[in-house]
Every structure is written in structure tokens, then in C-alpha cells.
Amino acid sequence: MNPAATVSAAPGPGRPPTATPGDVLRRLRARHHGADPVTHVERVPARPGEPAPWPGWAPAELRAALTRRGVVAPWRHQAQAAELAYAGKHVVVATGTASGKSLAYQLPALATLLADPRATVLYLAPTKALAADQLRAVAGLELDGVRPATYDGDTPRAEREWIRRHSRFVLTNPDMLHHGILPGHAHWSGFLRRLAYVVIDECHTYRGVFGSHVAHVLRRLRRQCARYGRTPVFVLASATSGDPATAAGRLTGLPVAAVTEDTSPRGGVTFALWEPPLLPSDVSSAAADLAPVRRSALRETADLLADTVAEGVRTLAFVRSRRGAEVVAANARRSLDEAVPGLGDRVAAYRAGYLREERRELERALLHGDLLGLASTNALELGVDLVGLDAVLICGWPGTRASLWQQAGRAGRSGDEALAVLVARDDPLDTYLVHHPEALFGRPVEATVLDPANPYVLGPQLACAAAEAPLTPADLDLFGDGAKEAVDSLVEAGALRQRPTGWYWRHRERPEVDLRGEGGAPVCVVEASTGRLLGTVDGGSSHFLIHPGAVYLHQGVSYVVDSLDLADGCALVHAEEPDWSTHARDVTSLSVVSVRSYVDAGPVGMFLGEVDVTSQVVSYQRRRIATGEVIDTRPLDLPARELRTVAVWFTVSPESLALAGVAAADVPGALHAAEHAAIGLLPLMATCDRWDIGGLSTAVHPDTEAPTVFVYDGHPGGAGFAERAYGTAAAWLRATRDAIAECGCEAGCPSCVQSPKCGNGNNPLSKPDAVRVLDVVLANLPAVDQPTTGGSAAGETATGDATVDEPAAGGEAVDAGAELPSGGRGPALPRQDERIAAPTDL
């Protein structure tokens, strides 16, 4: 038995005992007639593990329990991180998927609980599935006196008091810490005054504005612990990321040591890049003269899932949207049942919006081999211990190399060989990647980006802290740069009252601060004839997924929506099996509200101001499932959603563009490409995440009456990013221009002008004309940047992106180019479905 190895569940019936990933891939390729769909195969070699002796302080009871679970000794990186934590040093272990990061924090935490019967541990996970998985792992050790328990929105109220009083290992999430535990810290005083460790699992998911909020929630936790006389040790676990020590230190506000060398054994991975074949053209149809169309990635992934399950290969398919996960699972089930009746029952879908009991049952079924195939959103990307998986299918580029390897790492967790397949969507970005494997393999993963000094986050979090206990001057040091200015602003606004003993919250109600900004309360989906609750859809996606007339899929059963009551948060549906699907269509527009500051540079203008970004679902198409034929388009009467935020934008006169050689017909593509690249380069100037900002470009905007590129904060009221862009405009756009011009591609690629979240499918784009546009801007813009009016400090560079998801129902932008932020993170914009920072359904 290998050290630190987890005994895998028995493989499902029919699994070929000697089939290698190469064998499976060859059979999958052989089923395609004509062109080979595989554009590249990357072989990631296996590596041996480096075991280490048990730490001397590890109790014999704990070692015995771990040995019973299959862990006979830790790997060297596990022991190194555990030693640092047990010695009282804050530590982050940032190693690959399935490297056993959980043992690195379980060892010191559980050893302390066994040695000190009064000590407690707080575990934070970004998702409930991960917390439930960790609960199973800790409870499975059967250690006396630990009493692990989850405390989240699913916890029955009858159990909460017992957990507060008796549990010594509490598993929760940042949302519950923010909304429930810290506001009620007096009820948790016994737990907090004995808190020895705070474990932050999958800490790389805390990025962007969400991560900045979580950073201050952790500072509020540290503040309350200090009031009760405790200074807990923070132990963080992260996927491989750029500069994890800096990111963890920024998240916690503490000096953090990093353990990054992965010494766990790893089975080899066969990683294939798969481009779906072109559909056969019907020469008799009017479409014969159109450009050839590729088979959809969803259909291809469904067929691959069915093929691997038929081979007995336990497979997880990652799909970018909830609807897509349901479609892939349904099509795979249908294909399997046609071949072997009943085999389709071994495939299911998994996504947010399912009831708690359904999610736990699906996790159990996959874990025990009852399911052979699962189509999931990125809800299962994180470290849920899915032992025994043989293959992973990734339907569409997930947005970052970090996510790509996280998803691929779900297979082969028991040390066996694994197969990973990236199935390209018919999209310029995906097409580029499957034909340029050097962009995926052998390159470092992205850094995690967050900025606790963001005043738009710091102010509301200080208000929350003041509502928990009056702020003192010493507290301001804890909250870092900008805290004094933020407190002064809160006093001026009447939210805080200054007294000799500190700053006091003035209102009876607590501040309303949403960490994730998911776009409103969840909407319940109810079967009208029975009153049965099927599931939930977050408010931001409801307009797209459960509008009247929409087809709603739930575990392969289709329902049609009869009505949507947004006021009561309820959609009534009835079961129906139509031969058509529905696709909501929206329009997005941007209007200028006011101009705060501007630079008049002749043919070029640079502006900073408030804008309204308006999005409205106006209709939906019904399309035949078999052919994709559009049956009709039906209007919808849904309210518009408006986001008032801060934007930076520049205008260029048509005459200057013409003189630069940009033809009028090429202006939309030129501006669109420049917009994408500018958004991609802004993290060099402001500590933001690409998914926290949005953009729009148009050849003639009604408010500017000129060709215009907008970049805006995807947060109500702004988040300081646009201000930073305006303050460093010349440097920002110079870096943007150089990144485009120096890229070795011919027509544009993800490294320069293509975007993983473009609302227009990266079309139109003109790389050479984008350089000409930016040359005009830079030639006229003053070389000295304007003083920054907000945002983060200069000089901090990062390149992090978050997990990608297609916009819910594939929203369409009005103008030539629009890049939406991740749902606006507020009630104004339709959210992009199933981000890593998914709602925890509190």
C-alpha cells in the first residue's frame, strides 16, 4: 500500500481491468470516420512519491485512524506543512490536485484537538459539497471528542445550538461566517476563545472583489478572536497558483509561509485536445454556400461520455453551464439506453440548484460506483475526494490553466493512469487552443488576485465590524491601508458615530453586504400540479433559465415554465417532453450618466465617469432539438436590470482612424479587439480580476457620437478599477498596444485580443487595426498619467482569471463588441452561470 494513499472504491461493473487511457482514447478516435478529431496528445508522466516519517507529536490514536483509512505515512510536503502549522506558523500548502492537501491541515488540527480537550478548529470551504466531503473524512476517523459538524444554511435550526456548544471541529463557509457567526459572536464566545486553527480550503477561489470581501471577513474573525484572547493559526490549502505566499498573506493579513513542492505520487495522464468534426453539408440546401459548421461541443461531449461509460470507464464531464450539464447527461443517457436498456441510469447531472439531499446522494453514488458517468458544472472542480475516476471530459475551455488542471486532476486520484480530454467549442478561442498546445502545456498557472485595500469593499466591511463591536484606533491597523479614510467617510455619511472610545454603528439594522453579489434571492422551481419543490435558480439567472415558456431540465426530466413570479421568488412548471429547446435573448446597452474627469487630446478623448449598464431579456427562441432549426421567436415582458457603476472610456474621431488606415467597415472589429486586450491588461495596473470588469465597444455611441471603447467595474457603485485605469491610462494602453503587436499570432489569439467571456463569440475582431487604433490614442494622449482617484497601489502586477462560464442562456450584446463581467456581481446584470464562487444557498 502506498503511503498517504486513499483506498479507492471498487470499480463499477464492466470496467475493463487492463484498459489504459491510451487504449480508451484509441477506441474513441476509431469511432470517428474521416478526419481525426484529436489535434494533440500530451503525455504527463507518472511520478513516484517521497514519503516522510510521522511527526513525533502526532498521537498514536490519530496515526492508527489514518492507517485504517489507508494512509501509512505522510508525503514530505504534507509533513513539512503540518510541522510549520503545529509550530504556530501560518502556512499555505499549494500543490497539485489529489496531492493530499487535507492531511497537511488535518494532522496539526486533529493532533491539537486530541491533546487539548478544550481546543476548537474552524474549517472554511467555498462550497457546501467540499465541506460535506471533509465532514465525511473527519467523521470517518472516529476520533473521540472531536465531534465534527457542518454549520451552514442547510443546518437545521434545532441542531445549531448543539453545534455552537459542543462541536470542536466546525465546518462552514465564508458566507455563514459573515452572516451568522460573526454577528452572533457572543453566542460563539466559548468556541472562539478556544480556537486553535482556522483552515481555509481551496483558498485560490477567493479572488477579485469576492476574495477582497473574504479577506476582511477573516480580519473580522481575527478581531473577535483577539477580543476573546485567542490568536489562531491559519492553515490554507490552494491549488497550484502563482506566488501563493503573497496571495495567502493578502487574504489573511498575516505573514504566511508557502509549501509548494508536490511530493505525492501521481499516475500518468494522457491529455487529448479534441476538435469536433465538421457537420456534413447538404448540397441541396440553401446552406451549402455557408461556411462549414462543426458539431456542437455539448453533443460531442455527450457522445464521448456515453462511449466511456459503455466501456466501463468511470467518467466526469465538466460543462460550462447548468443547462449544458443537463443536456449532456440527458443525451448520454438516451444513447446508452438505445444500446443497452437501463445503462442510462448510470449517468446523471450535477449542478447548483439541486436540493441538498439530491447533491449528497449524487456524490455518494459516484463515490461508490453506482454512477459511472456524471455531467457536472464546475461545482465539482474543487477538492471533493472523488476516488476511482478514470477519465475527465472538459466541454469547452474553462477560462484558465489553473481550472483546466484542477478539472483534469479529478481523475486518477487513486494513483492510476487517467485520461483527460478537452473538447473545443466552435469558437475562435477554443479553436486556437486545440491547435496551439504550447498555450496550455508547460506554462505556469495564473496568480490569485485580490485587493483588501479596495475602498468599495473596505468601507462596507468596516461597517459590519462596527456593528459587531465598536471600532477602535487599534482595529484600523488590522484592516490595513485606507481604513482611517474609510471610517471618516462612514462618519461623514452618518453610518458611524465617533466617540472617545471609538466608532459606533448608528443603525438598528445590520449593514447589508453581499460577499458574492449573486443578483438576488434564489427563485424556487415548483411543480404546479403537486406543489413539489424541484430545485432553485439564483435570482440573477432566473430571467434566462425559468422565464415563462422556458424548458427547464432537472435530472433528465423536462418541464415547461407556466409562470415566473419574481416578487414571490417562485416559478411554476409542469412536466412536458417537447421536441424543442428554448434560448433566451437579451439586449445590453450602456449610457453615460456623468463625467467626473476627462482629458481632451484633440482627436482623442479619455473620460472617467458614472454609467448605467442595462440588460433586459426581451424574447426567447424555440429551436428543434434534432436539427437546431428555429421554430419561432416569442416576446417576453421581463423587467430590465440596471447597474450604475464607474467606467473609463476613450473616444477616437473617425477622421483620425481613417488617416491611420482603419477602414470604416473595420472599425467595429478594431475597437472590439482593443477592448478585449485592454480588459486583459488592466490587472497589470489595478489589483483586480478580469472577471470583475466588463467592456463595450461601438463604432458610434449615442452619448459620445464617436467610436468609443468602454471598460467598467462590474459592481454597483464601482470598485475602483476604472479609476485606476483612468489614472494610469497612458501606461495601461501602451501595455495593451505592445501586447497585441508583440504577439506572434497572425489574426489574434487568447494571448492578445480573444476573450474567454466575450458576449459576441469573439467576432468581429481585427488585430492589426486594433494596433492602429491604439497608436492613434497613444500619439495624442499625454504621456504623463493623471493622478489616480482610487483603486490599488501602483506597481502590483498579477494575471489571475477566474473560472469561466458562458453567460446564462447565451445573452447577446447590442453593440459591436461587449465583454460582460461575471454577472455584474450585483442585481443589474444577468450572472454568468456556475462560477467557482457559486452561491452557497444560505
Side-chain angles (χ1 to χ4, degrees):
M1 183 180 296
N2 288 334
T6 301
V7 179
S8 65
R15 175 180 173 182
T18 59
T20 67
D23 295 334
V24 175
L25 181 60
R26 278 190 292 274
R27 286 195 284 269
L28 294 177
R29 297 169 79 170
R31 296 179 189 182
H32 271 270
H33 302 291
D36 186 355
V38 174
T39 61
H40 177 79
V41 177
E42 186 79 8
R43 175 65 185 165
V44 181
R47 67 165 183 259
E50 298 180 34
W54 288 107
W57 43 260
E61 178 185 358
L62 177 57
R63 295 200 304 268
L66 290 168
T67 301
R68 288 194 301 269
R69 201 174 69 180
V71 181
V72 298
W75 304 116
R76 183 163 55 80
H77 70 274
Q78 294 170 326
Q80 182 183 355
E83 290 280 10
L84 288 169
Y86 197 78
K89 296 181 180 179
H90 311 292
V91 61
V92 56
V93 53
T95 51
T97 306
S99 59
K101 292 184 285 290
S102 58
L103 186 64
Y105 55 74
Q106 287 175 2
L107 263 179
L110 295 175
T112 299
L113 293 185
L114 293 173
D116 180 359
R118 292 180 52 80
T120 60
V121 172
L122 183 67
Y123 169 94
L124 298 174
T127 67
K128 290 179 181 178
L130 184 53
D133 182 73
Q134 283 296 305
L135 176 64
R136 285 191 294 266
V138 175
L141 295 174
E142 299 179 345
L143 298 171
D144 290 337
V146 173
R147 299 187 292 274
T150 55
Y151 189 90
D152 57 30
D154 290 337
T155 305
R157 295 201 173 273
E159 298 179 13
R160 296 188 180 192
E161 179 64 22
W162 184 93
I163 293 172
R164 284 195 294 266
R165 290 181 177 273
H166 302 293
S167 177
R168 300 176 61 216
F169 197 117
V170 173
L171 302 100
T172 187
N173 51 61
D175 309 78
M176 197 64 172
L177 181 61
H178 165 64
H179 288 291
I181 295 176
L182 290 176
H185 60 83
H187 299 292
W188 286 86
S189 59
F191 183 89
L192 294 176
R193 64 168 44 99
R194 296 180 282 119
L195 186 60
Y197 290 96
V198 178
V199 176
I200 306 174
D201 208 352
E202 303 289 357
C203 66
H204 63 281
T205 62
Y206 302 125
R207 51 181 158 243
V209 170
F210 171 52
S212 301
H213 273 295
V214 173
H216 286 297
V217 172
L218 296 177
R219 285 158 175 77
R220 287 161 49 200
L221 173 64
R222 290 174 51 205
R223 177 175 179 247
Q224 292 302 330
C225 288
R227 292 180 71 240
Y228 293 111
R230 292 297 292 183
T231 305
V233 175
F234 282 76
V235 186
L236 303 94
S238 170
T240 304
S241 64
D243 199 4
T246 298
R250 189 175 289 144
L251 182 66
T252 60
L254 296 164
V256 179
V259 175
T260 58
E261 184 182 359
D262 192 339
T263 58
S264 65
R266 176 72 197 186
V269 179
T270 299
F271 205 131
L273 305 183
W274 188 288
E275 185 175 42
L278 294 170
L279 291 173
S281 59
D282 184 354
V283 295
S284 63
S285 70
D289 294 332
L290 299 178
V293 177
R294 293 197 177 275
R295 202 161 183 263
S296 80
L298 290 177
R299 180 76 67 172
E300 194 78 355
T301 302
D303 285 355
L304 289 172
L305 180 60
D307 288 343
T308 54
V309 168
E311 294 265 2
V313 176
R314 199 177 301 178
T315 306
L316 178 61
F318 283 105
V319 190
R320 303 195 337 163
S321 71
R322 298 182 185 187
R323 183 193 302 237
E326 293 280 4
V327 168
V328 167
N331 287 341
R333 278 194 295 262
R334 187 179 302 113
S335 297
L336 288 166
D337 282 334
E338 289 174 357
V340 181
L343 188 56
D345 293 339
R346 306 199 66 184
V347 174
Y350 184 102
R351 59 173 174 79
Y354 287 167
L355 302 181
R356 176 192 185 188
E357 295 75 16
E358 287 180 291
R359 296 196 299 268
R360 298 295 92 84
E361 175 58 26
L362 287 169
E363 293 160 15
R364 186 207 64 77
L366 186 64
L367 191 65
H368 290 85
D370 299 333
L371 287 175
L372 278 178
L374 197 65
S376 172
T377 58
N378 57 11
L380 287 180
E381 179 179 315
L382 302 181
V384 177
D385 193 13
L386 301 175
V387 296
L389 290 177
D390 305 296
V392 166
L393 307 174
I394 303 170
C395 182
W397 166 241
T400 66
R401 288 182 293 278
S403 281
L404 183 76
W405 289 107
Q406 277 285 101
Q407 293 180 3
R410 294 297 94 194
R413 288 182 68 88
S414 58
D416 295 332
E417 294 281 318
L419 173 66
V421 181
L422 172 62
V423 182
R425 299 197 312 163
D426 193 11
D427 172 270
L429 189 151
D430 283 34
T431 301
Y432 174 88
L433 290 172
V434 295
H435 288 281
H436 293 80
E438 69 278 2
L440 298 177
F441 303 110
R443 297 185 63 184
V445 298
E446 301 83 357
T448 301
V449 182
L450 67 150
D451 180 17
N454 183 334
Y456 296 92
V457 172
L458 181 56
Q461 286 293 332
L462 284 169
C464 292
E468 291 157 7
L471 290 168
T472 66
D475 292 330
L476 302 187
D477 293 334
L478 173 66
F479 287 94
D481 294 340
K484 181 60 169 67
E485 293 79 1
V487 165
D488 291 342
S489 298
L490 290 169
V491 171
E492 185 179 350
L496 297 183
R497 175 180 291 136
Q498 185 172 8
R499 292 178 176 174
T501 53
W503 292 271
Y504 289 73
W505 178 246
R506 296 188 60 180
H507 305 289
R508 185 183 303 272
E509 301 81 11
R510 282 187 45 78
E512 293 186 6
V513 179
D514 184 0
L515 302 187
R516 304 180 189 251
E518 297 298 341
V523 178
C524 298
V525 181
V526 177
E527 189 173 29
S529 60
T530 64
R532 180 169 62 104
L533 176 64
L534 298 175
T536 61
V537 172
D538 63 274
S541 296
S542 60
H543 289 210
F544 287 89
L545 300 182
I546 50 174
H547 57 76
V551 175
Y552 174 78
L553 296 175
H554 188 91
Q555 280 299 351
V557 180
S558 65
Y559 300 83
V560 175
V561 179
D562 299 316
S563 63
L564 171 62
D565 189 330
L566 293 170
D568 290 339
C570 180
L572 296 179
V573 303
H574 69 271
E576 185 179 339
E577 292 280 351
D579 64 351
W580 39 264
S581 60
T582 53
H583 304 264
R585 301 167 63 86
D586 77 326
V587 293
T588 301
S589 60
L590 183 150
S591 61
V592 176
V593 177
S594 63
V595 175
R596 291 185 185 176
S597 181
Y598 70 94
V599 175
D600 185 351
V604 173
M606 179 66 65
F607 300 84
L608 176 73
E610 286 79 26
V611 298
D612 282 336
V613 183
T614 303
S615 177
Q616 183 176 19
V617 175
V618 296
S619 63
Y620 70 96
Q621 287 183 341
R622 296 193 306 161
R623 302 178 190 170
R624 299 228 180 261
I625 294 175
T627 64
E629 171 195 358
V630 176
I631 301 172
D632 57 21
T633 299
R634 299 190 173 189
L636 288 171
D637 184 19
L638 293 172
R641 294 176 168 183
E642 186 172 280
L643 170 70
R644 177 158 293 186
T645 185
V646 179
V648 59
W649 66 95
F650 64 81
T651 61
V652 189
S653 71
E655 295 79 11
S656 64
L657 292 178
L659 288 173
V662 182
D666 296 327
V667 169
L671 298 176
H672 193 190
E675 171 214 329
H676 281 185
I679 289 173
L681 269 292
L682 186 52
L684 291 173
M685 305 297 160
T687 310
C688 67
D689 190 294
R690 179 173 192 149
W691 296 82
D692 288 321
I693 50 183
L696 184 143
S697 55
T698 176
V700 180
H701 192 274
D703 291 334
T704 64
E705 300 181 346
T708 310
V709 171
F710 292 90
V711 175
Y712 60 86
D713 296 348
H715 305 268
F721 308 141
E723 294 170 322
R724 180 63 184 164
Y726 178 78
T728 60
W732 169 43
L733 296 180
R734 171 63 62 186
T736 301
R737 187 263 178 210
D738 291 345
I740 301 173
E742 293 170 4
C743 185
C745 68
E746 294 183 7
C749 72
S751 297
C752 55
V753 300
Q754 291 182 356
S755 165
K757 62 191 185 84
C758 177
N760 288 53
N762 285 296
N763 185 50
L765 291 175
S766 176
K767 174 184 175 178
D769 287 322
V771 174
R772 296 184 183 102
V773 167
L774 292 168
D775 282 340
V776 172
V777 174
L778 291 166
N780 291 277
L781 200 64
V784 179
D785 291 317
Q786 302 299 310
T788 181
T789 56
S792 59
E796 294 183 320
T797 63
T799 56
D801 287 337
T803 300
V804 65
D805 277 309
E806 61 192 351
E812 298 177 358
V814 187
D815 293 291
E819 181 170 343
L820 299 180
S822 53
R825 296 191 191 265
L829 291 178
R831 67 182 287 276
Q832 293 188 317
D833 196 22
E834 290 299 323
R835 295 191 303 277
I836 275 190
T840 49
D841 304 327
L842 284 170

